[in-house]
Amino acid sequence: MDNDNKLDRFLKLGKAGEGTYGVVYKAKNKLTGKNVALKKIKLQKFYNKGCSEGVPSTAMREITLLKGVRHSSIVELLDVMYTTDKLYLVFEYLDLDLKRYMDHSKQPLEAELVKNYMKQLLDAIAYLHSHRILHRDLKPQNLLVDKEGHIKMADFGLARSFSLPTRTYTHEVITMWYRAPELLLGEKMYCTGVDIWSLGCVMAEMLMKRALFPGDSEIDQLYKIFRIMGTPQEDDWPGVQLLPDFKAAFPKWLPKNLRDIVKFNNTEEEILLKEMLTYDPAKRKTAKELLKYNYLKTAKLTTPDLTAFPVEETIDEAGPS
C-alpha cells in the first residue's frame, strides 16, 4: 500500500502540539477506531541544510532509535509514512503531557502517584541505558500521561546511542532547567548520569508544582543550582575545578536543606531525590540501582484525576494533509 493510501486511514481530530520540526495532531485510525498522535514534518524547509534528503537529523534520530526499542513506559512509534514533501510519524496516543497536567492540577500530585510515575520512568531509563541509549531531553513536556496512571517518555529527537568508554558529545543538550551541572560546566565526556539528574529535577517539580532550578541562562542556571545544592568543591566532586567552564571566582554558597525547599511526603522520597541530584556523576546512582530502593518496590499503578482535561473531538474533515 502506498503512503497516500495509508494516510487516508487517519482522520484528524485536532492539533495536539507543535515542535521545532513539525505539528502533532490527534488523529483516529478509521480501521481500528483507535486514537494516535500524528507528527507531521514538512521536508522542503530542510533541503540544502545538511539534512538527509531534507529530513531533519532529529527526526532521523527519533525514527532510528524508537524502531529499536519496546518498553511499556516509552511511547511506541507505530508507523512512518511520507509524501513528496512531508514526513509523518504515527505514535500511540496519550491524553496529555505531565507539564500540562501539573499546571492545571489544583492540588500537588499525590504521594502514591509520584511514586508510581518515578517507578515507571526509572524503569524506562534503566531499559534505555541498558541498550546504550541516552534520552538527553527529559522534562515534563516530553513525558506523556493517561487516565489509567501510565507515564511514557516521548520526543527522542535529542537522544543518541552511546558507547563505553564514553565518547565526546556536545554538552548543549537537555532543556536548561533539567540540565546536569557537568554539562553546564562544559563537560563533553558524559554518560547516563545526565538523564538521572533530569529525572531528579522532574521528581522535584512533581512535589513542588514548580521547577526546582528555573534558570534563564547557563550561568543563572548554575547559580540556581549552587544556591540550593551549594557551590561544588573538590572534596564532594573530585575534578570539578578542572571542568572547562568552572571558575574559581564562582560565589561560594553553602548547601541548603532540601526539606526546606521541597515538601516531601516521606523520608524515602527525600533519599531518592538526593541520590538523583548528586553532584559527582561518578557517585550518582544508576536507574538500575535506584529501582532497588524500598520506596519504589511498593509502587503501584495509581490513577490521576484528569477530569479537568476534557478531550476535544474537533473533527477536521480535510484529513491529514
Side-chain angles (χ1 to χ4, degrees):
M1 181 181 291
D2 61 40
N3 284 280
D4 286 331
N5 287 337
K6 287 173 74 175
L7 278 170
D8 288 340
R9 294 178 180 176
F10 300 99
L11 182 67
K12 278 196 298 186
L13 303 177
K15 186 184 290 189
E18 193 160 356
T20 306
Y21 291 109
V23 180
V24 180
Y25 296 97
K26 178 182 178 181
K28 179 177 287 187
N29 186 319
K30 298 175 186 176
L31 298 179
T32 66
K34 290 186 176 181
N35 292 333
V36 298
L38 197 64
K39 182 186 283 190
K40 179 178 74 174
I41 301 168
K42 292 184 178 180
L43 302 182
Q44 69 268 24
K45 295 198 302 187
F46 306 102
Y47 289 139
N48 304 318
K49 291 187 179 180
C51 299
S52 175
E53 298 181 352
V55 181
S57 58
T58 54
M60 290 296 292
R61 190 178 289 137
E62 188 167 23
I63 293 168
T64 302
L65 290 176
L66 285 177
K67 274 188 168 292
V69 301
R70 286 291 182 274
H71 190 277
S72 60
S73 295
I74 297 173
V75 68
E76 185 178 358
L77 177 63
L78 302 172
D79 203 354
V80 178
M81 302 173 291
Y82 61 89
T83 62
T84 54
D85 61 349
K86 297 184 188 74
L87 178 71
Y88 294 90
L89 307 185
V90 184
F91 294 97
E92 63 176 316
Y93 181 82
L94 278 83
D95 298 296
L96 72 163
D97 65 62
L98 180 62
K99 170 68 172 168
R100 183 165 170 246
Y101 175 59
M102 290 192 295
D103 284 349
H104 291 82
S105 297
K106 294 179 181 179
Q107 303 294 331
L109 271 64
E110 294 180 4
E112 287 300 319
L113 185 60
V114 173
K115 185 193 297 186
N116 166 45
Y117 282 168
M118 289 309 300
K119 171 72 184 319
Q120 293 181 64
L121 293 174
L122 281 166
D123 198 51
I125 278 295
Y127 171 87
L128 288 175
H129 291 174
S130 71
H131 287 74
R132 297 188 174 185
I133 296 171
L134 303 179
H135 187 284
R136 301 201 305 176
D137 197 20
L138 292 171
K139 57 184 177 181
Q141 294 92 324
N142 288 342
L143 303 173
L144 307 179
V145 302
D146 66 15
K147 57 182 177 292
E148 280 84 34
H150 303 107
I151 187 166
K152 303 198 179 196
M153 293 180 180
D155 201 337
F156 282 69
L158 288 177
R160 69 160 300 139
S161 300
F162 67 89
S163 56
L164 296 173
T166 50
R167 295 165 45 198
T168 299
Y169 303 121
T170 175
H171 64 277
E172 294 178 351
V173 295
I174 306 177
T175 303
M176 191 83 69
W177 295 358
Y178 311 93
R179 195 176 300 176
E182 61 266 32
L183 298 177
L184 293 163
L185 291 171
E187 178 63 270
K188 294 181 174 64
M189 299 285 287
Y190 60 85
C191 203
T192 56
V194 298
D195 284 340
I196 298 299
W197 180 277
S198 297
L199 272 189
C201 295
V202 170
M203 180 181 180
E205 194 163 337
M206 285 195 279
L207 294 169
M208 300 169 68
K209 287 201 66 184
R210 60 181 176 83
L212 181 59
F213 307 122
D216 55 22
S217 65
E218 288 203 4
I219 190 63
D220 185 53
Q221 185 65 31
L222 273 173
Y223 284 2
K224 286 282 197 304
I225 295 172
F226 292 174
R227 286 190 182 100
I228 293 176
M229 309 300 294
T231 304
Q233 305 296 321
E234 283 291 323
D235 56 351
D236 54 26
W237 185 353
V240 65
Q241 294 180 8
L242 299 177
L243 293 178
D245 297 327
F246 186 91
K247 309 295 182 188
F250 280 154
K252 302 297 189 292
W253 283 288
L254 294 175
K256 294 182 179 178
N257 192 327
L258 266 182
R259 278 174 287 179
D260 296 334
I261 298 160
V262 181
K263 188 176 181 181
F264 294 106
N265 293 293
N266 51 65
T267 304
E268 290 179 321
E269 279 182 351
E270 181 183 1
I271 292 171
L272 184 72
L273 185 60
K274 284 181 175 178
E275 295 285 18
M276 301 174 81
L277 298 181
T278 297
Y279 264 143
D280 186 353
K283 297 175 184 174
R284 209 174 293 154
K285 299 291 187 184
T286 65
K288 188 175 180 180
E289 290 171 331
L290 292 169
L291 285 167
K292 296 177 181 177
Y293 280 43
N294 288 329
Y295 166 68
L296 294 171
K297 288 181 179 178
T298 59
K300 60 182 183 295
L301 200 62
T302 305
T303 306
D305 181 10
L306 298 186
T307 55
F309 305 94
V311 178
E312 295 183 6
E313 294 288 336
T314 305
I315 302 298
D316 181 347
E317 297 291 354
S321 60

